Amino acid sequence: MSSQRTPWVGGNWKCNGSAEKNAALLDGLNAGNLPEGVDIVVSPAALHLLDVQSKLRPEVTVASQNCYHKDGAFTGEISVSMLVDAGINTTLLGHSERRHVFGESDELLTLKTKAVQEANINLVACVGEQLEDRDRNLTMEVVNKQLQAFADGITNWSSVVIAYEPVWAIGTGRVASPEQ
């Protein structure tokens, strides 16, 4: 017997948003005719997580953009246990900016993944290659390595969505074809 995954649509607000801008987005989402049978997820900046969650219609999931695998003296981080306490049940991990701007390693992502899984938080596992990797035909090698870091920490695949982003297509003027 095969099972079919529910279609999933997510919006990462990245390091954007203000009370005013978020209110406009929330008005649109709350008034919109959202399709049935689709999981819809928004990921506001950490500062706005609880406000967005309190104002957004309940069938839309609010996810954090990142989390840290343990509590303690980690300035600026949000721990897995903090997400649980706040009622945030989904998080992104491994987004390209986290990897390439903040230097997150595959080893760290495995630790975060294990902590997320242990806390029964849904995981959006982000993967994707940069332009240099694509031009050198390393797409599969890079993405497989990223996926392995997640796989090393996953015990429950039913709580995981894999999000592929062709990082090489951001701001380069090059567009991914349907085949890619």
Side-chain angles (χ1 to χ4, degrees):
M1 177 178 188
S2 68
S3 64
Q4 186 169 339
R5 181 128 206 169
T6 302
W8 190 96
V9 176
N12 181 0
W13 300 1
K14 302 197 178 217
C15 193
N16 296 298
S18 64
E20 181 180 346
K21 290 177 183 177
N22 291 349
L25 285 169
L26 292 170
D27 286 346
L29 284 167
N30 286 331
N33 184 13
L34 302 180
E36 292 184 24
V38 176
D39 289 337
I40 300 172
V41 179
V42 297
S43 298
L47 181 64
H48 302 290
L49 277 170
L50 294 180
D51 184 55
V52 169
Q53 181 175 258
S54 72
K55 295 175 180 172
L56 189 58
R57 59 201 280 182
E59 64 269 32
V60 178
T61 299
V62 176
S64 69
Q65 297 176 10
N66 184 46
C67 64
Y68 200 62
H69 61 287
K70 55 186 175 179
D71 295 309
F74 305 103
T75 302
E77 293 293 338
I78 299 173
S79 71
V80 170
S81 66
M82 291 174 173
L83 293 178
V84 170
D85 183 57
I88 303 293
N89 68 357
T90 303
T91 189
L92 280 67
L93 287 180
H95 199 279
S96 61
E97 290 97 1
R98 301 298 312 175
R99 293 174 187 273
H100 303 296
V101 175
F102 296 101
E104 290 193 355
S105 67
D106 289 336
E107 293 77 19
L108 178 58
L109 288 171
T110 299
L111 291 172
K112 289 181 173 189
T113 299
K114 287 178 181 178
V116 164
Q117 289 271 291
E118 289 170 6
N120 294 314
I121 292 177
N122 297 312
L123 170 62
V124 181
C126 302
V127 298
E129 81 284 14
Q130 294 187 300
L131 182 61
E132 303 80 38
D133 301 321
R134 181 182 189 280
D135 287 346
R136 292 175 41 212
N137 294 317
L138 296 174
T139 296
M140 294 309 293
E141 181 178 329
V142 168
V143 171
N144 283 337
K145 185 174 183 288
Q146 293 170 348
L147 285 170
Q148 188 61 56
F150 288 117
D152 289 346
I154 293 172
T155 55
N156 177 13
W157 283 95
S158 69
S159 66
V160 178
V161 169
I162 298 172
Y164 169 74
E165 177 183 40
V167 181
W168 55 267
I170 301 170
T172 64
R174 294 169 72 173
V175 181
S177 69
E179 295 78 29
Q180 295 170 317

